[in-house]
Amino acid sequence: MDGAPSRVLHIRKLPGEVTETEVIALGLPFGKVTNILMLKGKNQAFLELATEEAAITMVNYYSAVTPHLRNQPIYIQYSNHKELKTDNTLNQRAQAVLQAVTAVQATNAPISGTTVSESAVTPAQSPVLRIIIDNMYYPVTLDVLHQIFSKFGAVLKIITFTKNNQFQALLQYGDPVNAQQAKLALDGQNIYNACCTLRIDFSKLVNLNVKYNNDKSRDYTRPDLPSGDGQPALDPAIAAAFAKETSLLGLPVAAVPGALSPLAIPNAAAAAAAAAAGRVGMPGVSAGGNTVLLVSNLNEEMVTPQSLFTLFGVYGDVQRVKILYNKKDSALIQMADGNQSQLAMSHLNGQKMYGKIIRVTLSKHQTVQLPREGLDDQGLTKDFGNSPLHRFKKPGSKNFQNIFPPSATLHLSNIPPSVAEEDLRTLFANTGGTVKAFKFFQRDHKMALLQMSTVEEAIQALIDLHNYNLGENHHLRVSFSKSTI
């Protein structure tokens, strides 16, 4: 970042296929971009901002947060040029893109001396954006979205929900121009390093009706709204409207399962740090949030604190579980931190457990109370704080890299040498499902993949057999796998 400040910035190490729009988008949050020159062969570009002050802000911001384009780190420094003189004939494409973007920034009014063809930018009709998060490796909260999107104008309202196992949000600006700028700059960007990719479209809705201010929905213009009881703020009628809207937008309604598989993070330490929201692509995004989940529509004949501990323990360290005494199809689950509760909610809401589709939302409770001393609550409340079975106790644990959505394929580890494929097939078939495929890891017979015929059967098998004693002091470890056999 050395060199005297200049409003022209030199950008290096660009990925080969990067577009002018993506480079311009780097500068948009900081002010007006006035020129761009792409040096494709050298993987470099020059970006000129309207003022030196904007350039300084941009350089300072990106010295604290490494900018990424297409998952690759890039480098930004002041250029020796004080302004960009570009040969317009050579640089026509870049100029066209720039004019289009600038037109949007100037409320779609033609800039003096240039006329922008109508086709370059169609003015956005709606101030409401629909946001889908791909590769949701770490939880993304309403506050994180507010922080990112506020850079482009006042955010009035946000509603978040999970649909087709994908975290989605509707976000309303005061002005459609802000929505257009945010879409231009943020669509396709990652919130965290190499994951949580934003996919942004305009919504058909032009106004959001928010009933509650809580961690699911918020109307920033009305701080007086009630918080509701931690139930999702989306009523079925609105949900149906979304389903319709999704098909109108031509987005794939059922997201391809592959799109959910998170990108590998280079090492466990980075993953652990990110899980603590340390390695965040946006400064000051903290991983606060509620640690207690409310799980409803449970099969009350079958469910136990232990089964909930095992299933939710795939996504974080479960501290306490309480099945509600007067409503035994519901339970409160306290995780170790807000990140883990978000993660468990995004992966388990809508999954089938013991034949019923469970609902997972954040609870309004801050902690799960243990029963008073000497009071028998029939084993409905259990404290797992000191359980030896927590998967994420060790900072930097490998397990942070192996968090995947529930899938029909299970990853088994800690298998003793004496246990054969037949033994494991029989063991898993006894959980009530059908074993479709099995494969030991070539290098390491301690590990294997085993595929059940449905995700529900795999969830059941994981609950029944994680920590199962296979003899020789080997307890089987079971997690969901992103691979198929």
Side-chain angles (χ1 to χ4, degrees), residues 45-60:
F46 288 98
L47 193 69
E48 179 188 271
L49 279 85
T51 64
E52 196 172 284
E53 183 192 22
I56 293 171
T57 312
M58 178 167 163
V59 167
N60 290 345

Side-chain angles (χ1 to χ4, degrees), residues 192-423:
Y192 299 109
N193 192 14
C195 67
C196 297
T197 310
L198 293 162
R199 302 270 169 245
I200 304 173
D201 266 291
F202 293 106
S203 170
K204 294 278 186 290
L205 303 167
V206 289
N207 186 34
L208 298 180
N209 178 20
V210 176
K211 295 200 186 74
Y212 301 114
N213 280 342
N214 54 29
D215 33 32
K216 279 282 196 300
S217 62
R218 210 161 293 166
D219 184 335
Y220 295 93
T221 63
R222 297 195 49 204
D224 55 311
L225 286 178
S227 71
D229 50 2
Q231 292 299 336
L234 221 59
D235 64 44
I238 302 182
F242 286 141
K244 204 149 128 226
E245 179 181 330
T246 308
S247 50
L248 287 174
L249 282 168
L251 292 167
V253 176
V256 277
L260 278 173
S261 64
L263 298 162
I265 287 255
N267 60 41
R279 178 80 188 84
V280 170
M282 302 278 168
V285 175
S286 74
N290 204 333
T291 59
V292 180
L293 296 168
L294 171 65
V295 188
S296 52
N297 202 38
L298 292 162
N299 179 335
E300 49 187 279
E301 306 298 311
M302 304 286 290
V303 74
T304 62
Q306 185 66 43
S307 61
L308 290 169
F309 167 76
T310 306
L311 179 57
F312 280 75
V314 172
Y315 300 105
D317 293 338
V318 175
Q319 305 299 303
R320 293 176 177 179
V321 178
K322 182 189 211 73
I323 294 174
L324 303 185
Y325 185 76
N326 48 7
K327 199 172 177 333
K328 292 197 174 59
D329 70 346
S330 300
L332 293 173
I333 299 180
Q334 183 176 335
M335 307 297 284
D337 64 41
N339 252 342
Q340 296 181 2
S341 56
Q342 286 280 343
L343 211 48
M345 178 169 74
S346 66
H347 285 314
L348 293 175
N349 181 38
Q351 296 289 349
K352 251 183 165 178
M353 178 182 182
Y354 299 125
K356 298 190 74 167
I357 291 177
I358 63 171
R359 290 279 156 247
V360 186
T361 60
L362 290 168
S363 160
K364 59 179 189 289
H365 296 284
Q366 295 305 306
T367 57
V368 170
Q369 297 295 322
L370 293 175
R372 286 200 305 280
E373 200 62 42
L375 194 73
D376 174 28
D377 80 339
Q378 303 169 358
L380 293 175
T381 310
K382 209 157 169 355
D383 186 351
F384 293 97
N386 297 322
S387 166
L389 295 183
H390 287 156
R391 295 179 188 235
F392 305 101
K393 262 281 192 285
K394 290 209 257 329
S397 155
K398 253 234 201 58
N399 294 331
F400 279 109
Q401 289 173 65
N402 297 321
I403 295 178
F404 301 114
S407 60
T409 308
L410 297 167
H411 179 278
L412 317 181
S413 58
N414 207 23
I415 303 166
S418 60
V419 170
E421 173 176 339
E422 229 10 79
D423 304 324

Side-chain angles (χ1 to χ4, degrees), residues 9-21:
L9 299 176
H10 182 202
I11 304 174
R12 294 176 298 122
K13 296 265 171 81
L14 289 169
E17 64 283 13
V18 83
T19 63
E20 282 90 350
T21 314

